[in-house]
Amino acid sequence: MLRRHARAACTALVAAGMALAGLQAAGSAAAAPDARDPHRAPTVQTAARTLGADSARPELLDAMRRDLGLTHSQALTRLANEAEAGATAARLRQGLGGAFAGAWVDGAEADTLTVATTRAADATAIRATGARARLVTHSLTALEAAKQLLDRSAGTDAPVRYVDVRANVLVVEETRAGAGARLVKATGVPRELVRVVRTGQAPRPLYDIRGGDAYYMGGGGRCSVGFAVTRGTTQGFATAGHCGRAGTTTSGFNQVAQGSFQGSVFPGNDMAWVATNTNWTSTPYVKGSGGANVQVTGSVLQPVGSSVCRSGSTTGWHCGTVQQHNTSVTYPEGTISGVTRTTVCAEPGDSGGSYISGSQAQGVTSGGSGNCSSGGTTFFQPLNPLLQNYGLTLKTTGTDPGPGPGEPEPGGTWVAGKVYAAGDVVTYGGASYRCLQGHQAQAGWQPPNVPALWQRL
């Protein structure tokens, strides 16, 4: 597992080219009036604006240039395209239902969105949004169901399982010859669904309130802060579960008494949160390149192929791309499921640290293989399930916190501070909306205002 200390920087507003801007508009529903003032029309935001993709600090763009080989202009365009592609893919997933087989972006600027389906008749609707259509054999639902069967019996000699949506196959990584085939046979999963890949390195936990900053456990060891959070009036941060158990005390990067773990899950998942004492204040940043602050504006999970950067207390700030969501990893301590696989490097001590795409919080570092000299693979625990599990509110910039979890928003069931998953349905201003992309709701993100996140029914 990786523990790191990340700090995010305030952003300057910059214009971004959006090659996929038409995709977001294609599926947008007309906005309803604001429930608190029916005579005032709401401001409808593009996906890029909603996710803060049109505002990026130089430190973030510099890291994307270094690790992804992009120019300043390409990095801006990529962030905007990724935001628009995520919104379009989410709408198509809702429309395709059980035939949906995955979506991903390609190209240096992420200017190509591909959506896979098992139903040939869907191609026209997919292309109408500006995306490419790919006809495949297996639905995402079928492949993920097969992965769940493998997860129940997998051991450390077949430590990683994930669905490769580009190849439309379930991948099993094995560290010992024949381990993958034995696992498939033992579980009865059809062999044609699976591709076994040999790997020389097994992932392991990497041990060691601003994301990416170091903290120390009372029993020894160092990890990294993930994201600053609040729970009511309590300040704290999200981090990896393998870093400590409930009751474990912590001290900060400066070795000053900090707080204690309030909850921790590992294995199964890799999530935890630490409540800090009154000397520590949650800030809406992660530690970027050179220690500069990178802002956090939300928690919308980005699609496969998107750029993502990690902050940690051992290796600092590094970027890569999202490879697969909903990956399962078997560490010596047990199996964790639902993590995201990335090309970002990390090393021991980075555990718990921040993963961020543009200004959207993605998750906290769990583990991986390789290092930041030769390169590697890492996995992060998505943040939204962590926030939901512990009733936490992500600290973000640019908005007031709005009502807390459970407080009704005037005009419907939508609530600021609540974590919504794709497919959830709420009411607002007399209309019903379906969630397109998982996120934690916040003031200003009322359903009529953000068609990238909500679809009017």
Side-chain angles (χ1 to χ4, degrees):
M1 298 157 207
L2 310 177
R3 300 170 181 172
R4 281 296 179 273
H5 173 69
R7 177 180 302 168
C10 302
T11 65
L13 187 64
V14 285
M18 290 180 283
L20 291 176
L23 295 180
Q24 193 275 340
S28 298
D34 191 311
R36 288 164 292 188
D37 183 357
H39 302 292
R40 179 169 60 87
T43 300
V44 178
Q45 300 187 13
T46 66
R49 178 58 60 88
T50 298
L51 273 59
D54 56 355
S55 298
R57 286 289 294 177
E59 294 81 9
L60 172 64
L61 302 176
D62 285 345
M64 294 177 70
R65 173 193 55 76
R66 180 195 66 197
D67 295 337
L68 298 176
L70 303 176
T71 66
H72 181 276
S73 176
Q74 286 177 319
L76 284 171
T77 301
R78 178 171 185 133
L79 290 173
N81 285 346
E82 289 170 351
E84 302 298 344
T88 300
R91 288 192 198 92
L92 286 169
R93 180 169 190 166
Q94 293 289 336
L96 300 181
F100 179 78
W104 60 94
V105 293
D106 288 304
E109 297 180 355
D111 53 1
T112 302
L113 170 65
T114 301
V115 177
T117 178
T118 60
R119 195 166 48 210
D122 294 332
T124 300
I126 292 172
R127 295 188 186 110
T129 68
R132 292 182 178 178
R134 179 174 295 180
L135 183 63
V136 297
T137 304
H138 311 297
S139 70
L140 184 60
T141 299
L143 291 172
E144 289 186 337
K147 186 181 77 67
Q148 290 179 356
L149 292 176
L150 298 182
D151 289 348
R152 295 175 190 144
S153 301
T156 55
D157 53 0
V160 179
R161 288 84 54 201
Y162 56 84
V163 174
D164 184 342
V165 293
R166 286 185 171 94
N168 193 230
V169 71
L170 173 56
V171 176
V172 175
E173 294 185 359
E174 64 178 12
T175 57
R176 183 177 302 172
R182 289 191 294 271
L183 176 61
V184 171
K185 183 177 180 180
T187 56
V189 170
R191 188 63 179 85
E192 64 270 18
L193 297 182
V194 180
R195 184 177 70 209
V196 177
V197 176
R198 187 69 184 273
T199 179
Q201 294 182 315
R204 77 286 189 194
L206 304 180
Y207 296 92
D208 247 44
I209 307 179
R210 179 188 61 171
D213 280 338
Y215 69 91
Y216 300 85
M217 287 72 74
R222 170 173 57 88
C223 272
S224 300
V225 173
F227 293 94
V229 298
T230 59
R231 185 174 179 181
T233 59
T234 301
Q235 312 279 308
F237 60 86
T239 189
H242 72 263
C243 291
R245 296 302 183 198
T248 300
T249 59
T250 67
S251 57
F253 65 93
N254 52 6
Q255 301 287 358
V256 171
Q258 181 185 64
S260 63
F261 279 76
Q262 301 300 295
S264 176
V265 178
F266 180 80
N269 298 116
D270 198 357
M271 59 175 70
W273 83 285
V274 171
T276 58
N277 59 43
T278 56
N279 294 325
W280 295 81
T281 301
S282 295
T283 65
Y285 307 113
V286 296
K287 183 179 181 181
S289 179
N293 283 336
V294 176
Q295 73 170 351
V296 179
T297 64
S299 61
V300 179
L301 192 66
Q302 295 296 80
V304 168
S306 297
S307 59
V308 66
C309 298
R310 178 195 55 74
S311 181
S313 57
T314 299
T315 58
W317 184 254
H318 289 274
C319 300
T321 58
V322 172
Q323 296 298 287
Q324 287 87 25
H325 293 303
N326 195 23
T327 300
S328 296
V329 182
T330 301
Y331 297 130
E333 298 89 341
T335 296
I336 61 171
S337 299
V339 294
T340 295
R341 182 174 179 263
T342 80
T343 64
V344 187
C345 69
E347 296 180 8
D350 286 328
S351 278
S354 327
Y355 277 80
I356 189 167
S357 182
S359 62
Q360 295 299 304
Q362 299 297 292
V364 298
T365 307
S366 175
S369 58
N371 55 55
C372 287
S373 297
S374 60
T377 296
T378 52
F379 307 92
F380 68 76
Q381 162 69 55
L383 183 63
N384 285 327
L386 189 158
L387 297 174
Q388 184 175 34
N389 189 54
Y390 295 118
L392 305 172
T393 298
L394 177 66
K395 190 73 172 179
T396 60
T397 62
T399 62
D400 72 49
E407 298 180 26
E409 179 71 17
T413 60
W414 179 87
V415 178
K418 183 175 179 179
V419 175
Y420 290 103
D424 288 349
V425 175
V426 300
T427 58
Y428 188 91
S432 295
Y433 296 84
R434 179 182 289 114
C435 180
L436 295 172
Q437 302 185 80
H439 66 284
Q440 184 169 62
Q442 55 184 281
W445 282 13
Q446 290 86 349
N449 301 356
V450 283
L453 304 180
W454 294 97
Q455 180 180 48
R456 187 171 181 175
L457 302 178

